Every structure is written in C-alpha cells, then in structure tokens.
Amino acid sequence: MLGQGFVSAAAIAASVLFILSLGGLSNQEKAKRAVWYGIVGMAVAVFFTAFGPGIGGYWWMIPMIIIGSVIGWYVASRVAMTEMPQLVAALHSFVGLAAVFVAWNADLERRRVLAAQALGAGQQEFSAFAALVATKAPDELMFLQIEVVFAIFIGAVTFTGSVIAFGKLAGKVDGKPNQLPGGHMLNAGAAALSLVLAIAYISGAGFWTLLILALLAFFIGWHLIMGIGGADMPVVVSMLNSYSGWAAAAIGFTLSNDLLIVTGALVGSSGAILSYIMCKAMNRNFVSVILGGFGGVQSGVAAEIEGEQVAIDAGGVASSLNNANSVVIVPGYGMAVAQAQGAVSELVRKLRAAGKEVRFAIHPVAGRLPGHMNVLLAEARVPYDIVLEMDEINDDFPKTDVAIVIGSNDIVNPAAQDDPNSPIAGMPVLEVWKSSVVFVCKRGQGTGYSGIENPLFYKENTRMFYGDARESIDSLLSLID
C-alpha cells in the first residue's frame, strides 16, 4: 500500500505527462513521442491509484485490469484505420457509462453512511469513500449531490450519444438527421424534467430520482445525435470527446481524486476547443450543432445542377500527370475505405522522382475524425512537408496543373460558395475547380455519405475516374514516366 504522498506526487507527474502529450500532438514530427507521454502518464495514474491508501479488493481488481488490457490490445491491434472514428466513439461511450455507475454508487454510499450514522455506527465500519463522506459537513454533502447529478446527466448523454455516433459512422444507423415528432421540444422538455428531478434529489428525494434522471439523459443523448447529419460527424466526435472529459471531471470531484479532475478537464476543454475549430471550418454554429442541429434548417431549395459527368480512363489521367508540373492531391474518406494510402504514396514517389511538384491539400474535416487524413498519410510514409492545410494551399489552385480528388465530396464542393441554399453554404472548401484539370476518383455517381450533390463533378475541366480508389491509383503507377 502506497502512502498519500506518493499518490499526490504521481498525480502531478501524470498530469504533466498528459499536458506534454496534448501539446506534442499539435506537431506531426513530435506526435509519436507525445503518444508515449500519454501512455506512460496513464500507466502511472492507474498504478498509483490502484495501490493508493484506502484501496482494496485486489483479488478482483487486478484480474479486471488484465482482462480489460488484453481486450483493449486485441481491439486496437485489429481495428483498421477506416474504423478508428467508430472505435473512438465506442470508447467515449464507456467513459460516459462508467461515470453513471460511479455516481450511482457514490449516492448509495452516501445514503449508507447517513443511515449508519443515524444508528451510531463507527467510522471504522465504512469503506474508504464512505469514510470520506462521513467527514463532510451538510453543505459539502450538498455539493457532493450536485456532482453526482452532473456526472449522471453528462455521462448518460455521452453514452447514448456515442452509441448512435458509432452506429452512424459504422453505417449501422442512417447518417441523415432523424428526430421524433416534436424534435427539439422533446429535448427541451426532457432537460427541464431532468432539472426538476435534480432539485428534488438535492432536496432529499429518493434514489429513484437518479434512475429517472439517467433515463431522461439517455434519451437526450440518443435524440441529439440522431438529429445530427453525417456531414457534421467530425464535430460530433470531438464534442462527445469533450462530454466524456467533463463526465470524468465530475466524478473526480465526487471521489476527491485530483488526477481524475485534471485529466477530465484536459479532455473536456481540448475537446470543446476542437469542436469549435471544426464548426468554424465547416461554417457551422457551435451551439446549433451541440443542440442537435437546432436552427440548421435550409433557407430554400438548392440550385439544380446542369451538365453531365464525363468519365476518363487510367491512360487519360496518366497522360495529364506526365505532362503536368504541379499536382495537388485531395484525400477523403473514400481513400481510407479503399485503403489506398499506400498506392497514393507510391504514386507521389514516382511523380516527384520525375521532377514534378506534388503536394497534399488537407481540409480540417476530411474523413470521419479530425486529423484522419494526416494519420493515414503518415502511416503510408508521405513526407510531412508536402502535406498542407487548407489555408496554406487554397490560393495555389489557380497555378496547379492537375488536382486529384480521392474519395471527397463536401470539402471540394463549389456549392458552398455559389449556392446560398445549399446545406453547406458558407462552408470553407478546397477550391480544386480552379486548377487546370481535376480528376475525381470515385466509386460511382452517388452523392456520398452526406447525401449532398456536388457541381464540381459536372464542370468542364473535371473528369470522373470511376472505380475503387486503390485499384484506380494502382492502374496509374505503370503508366507514369
């Protein structure tokens, strides 16, 4: 059993490692080291918490840690990069559900302590947490109840919201916005009733109030995310990340665990900031998105698209690439689905060996997760210095000979600028249509995940390179001089 001094020192060390980890993830070259900071920090946190003062039950705790570690390793080693957003959403759900269970247990312990004190029981009969509760004054107990309410509400919303986000990302739930009749009024009503139950609980009502509160929050989480469309999924993922952090922080206050408070606050604040950045990149109202698209109704009918999609074969694409001096590649989720990043990396190597300038243009919300495309390209060993963000490269498209779009739709859609009635009107996009010629690698003529038509596909300087992205890029490799 470790003393409290060791646990406090470990909490400070782990917090510093978590901060270094977050800071390092902002730079691709430091990201791998930053991940190790996070791994070591979490290992320190788990070890010193498990063997800290007042902790027992090792006969079941250690086997559970081992089982959980094995399951985590197995899942992480088998999950494909295309499934990473789903995995993140699933992990968020675990954090939310854990917060609900811990909060329920905390209130049961509080009630047991009060009942025991009424019977004159000694403090030595209590568990470590119950003993802590027994030392609290009435006003401190009220704050404990408030912490329990927050943990249950945020945790329950996070759980069901993350489950639905997982379903939408995995294609098991329809990606279109879908709410019950009454829509936002149902959410508002459930939230108001939750507030009434919270007040009743703090005023002395029974445990049943927390059970109903959790059910209402489960409904709100489910209904909120059901009302958010596929185009907003990157924001949803980062938003749920923030929710899971605040749920963890609330439980940290309940358990008087400084490390859990710091860790939860780091996750909650960074997730909220990332959500705001994503909304800005998509010209979405932050409050509207987190409220399930409230106020996000189109103001009119989107403009009809004229023209036709003109197909091209591998020979035609290769000919243009061989004659080009500058090439910009725009990756999207279609590249991830086809696992074409390796073939794309080889194409880039051949083009650069031929003396051509090749760069990547990354939109902030490309893929299903912030930074999704950067991770895929790093996995394929694409040099960091040719991977540029939207603001760094958008002005260069008029000077670009060939733009290749691989599995992207909304982030290269000119309707965002030209059609005020488009669902993505005002969203900053990559202006690939300003290049001399645009090749779009796409499976077919569908509208993609978000269901929004793209006028780019019908422009005179655009050619559609139909087929599986990996097979299409592979077919080019032997044709590049």
Side-chain angles (χ1 to χ4, degrees), residues 342-366:
V344 171
S345 179
E346 178 61 20
L347 175 65
V348 170
R349 187 192 66 77
K350 295 194 70 171
L351 291 172
R352 296 184 78 192
K356 305 179 189 301
E357 180 187 34
V358 184
R359 293 174 296 170
F360 286 85
I362 307 296
H363 193 280
V365 295

Side-chain angles (χ1 to χ4, degrees), residues 186-269:
L186 286 176
N187 295 336
L193 185 54
S194 297
L195 179 60
V196 171
L197 288 168
I199 294 173
Y201 162 70
I202 295 171
S203 300
F207 184 75
W208 61 269
T209 55
L210 296 183
L211 294 175
I212 299 177
L213 175 66
L215 291 175
L216 288 170
F218 284 145
F219 167 79
I220 291 173
W222 169 78
H223 201 228
L224 275 177
I225 307 306
M226 284 296 293
I228 299 176
D232 289 327
M233 274 300 116
V235 181
V236 171
V237 172
S238 57
M239 178 186 71
L240 291 170
N241 179 56
S242 178
Y243 287 178
S244 68
W246 298 125
I251 286 300
F253 281 106
T254 301
L255 301 178
S256 296
N257 187 311
D258 294 338
L259 182 56
L260 198 53
I261 294 171
V262 172
T263 305
L266 285 173
V267 174
S269 57

Side-chain angles (χ1 to χ4, degrees), residues 418-438:
D418 303 335
D419 184 4
N421 293 325
S422 171
I424 58 171
M427 172 180 165
V429 292
L430 290 161
E431 300 171 348
V432 295
W433 59 89
K434 294 183 179 180
S435 304
S436 297
V437 63
V438 182

Side-chain angles (χ1 to χ4, degrees), residues 386-404:
I386 67 171
V387 179
L388 305 178
E389 299 299 323
M390 177 176 63
D391 293 340
E392 299 176 296
I393 200 169
N394 232 4
D395 291 339
D396 293 348
F397 280 112
K399 299 174 288 186
T400 300
D401 296 321
V402 174
I404 304 178

Side-chain angles (χ1 to χ4, degrees), residues 130-150:
L132 176 65
V133 172
T135 64
K136 292 182 178 291
D139 58 336
E140 292 178 311
L141 286 176
M142 185 183 71
F143 278 107
L144 174 64
Q145 289 178 281
I146 294 173
E147 293 156 10
V148 166
V149 167
F150 271 109

Side-chain angles (χ1 to χ4, degrees), residues 4-90:
Q4 185 58 46
F6 284 105
V7 175
S8 298
I12 295 173
S15 299
V16 171
L17 287 169
F18 291 147
I19 292 171
L20 290 173
S21 179
L22 281 175
L25 290 174
S26 63
N27 184 294
Q28 290 177 321
E29 297 180 356
K30 298 178 181 178
K32 186 174 182 179
R33 183 172 58 189
V35 170
W36 276 108
Y37 284 145
I39 292 172
V40 174
M42 185 56 67
V44 170
V46 170
F47 178 82
F48 281 90
T49 298
F51 293 96
I55 305 298
Y58 294 108
W59 61 273
W60 63 264
M61 181 192 300
I62 292 177
M64 290 298 100
I65 291 175
I66 293 173
I67 292 172
S69 299
V70 171
I71 293 174
W73 173 84
Y74 177 79
V75 171
S77 64
R78 291 180 62 86
V79 68
M81 280 306 304
T82 54
E83 299 170 339
M84 191 59 66
Q86 294 95 297
L87 177 63
V88 171

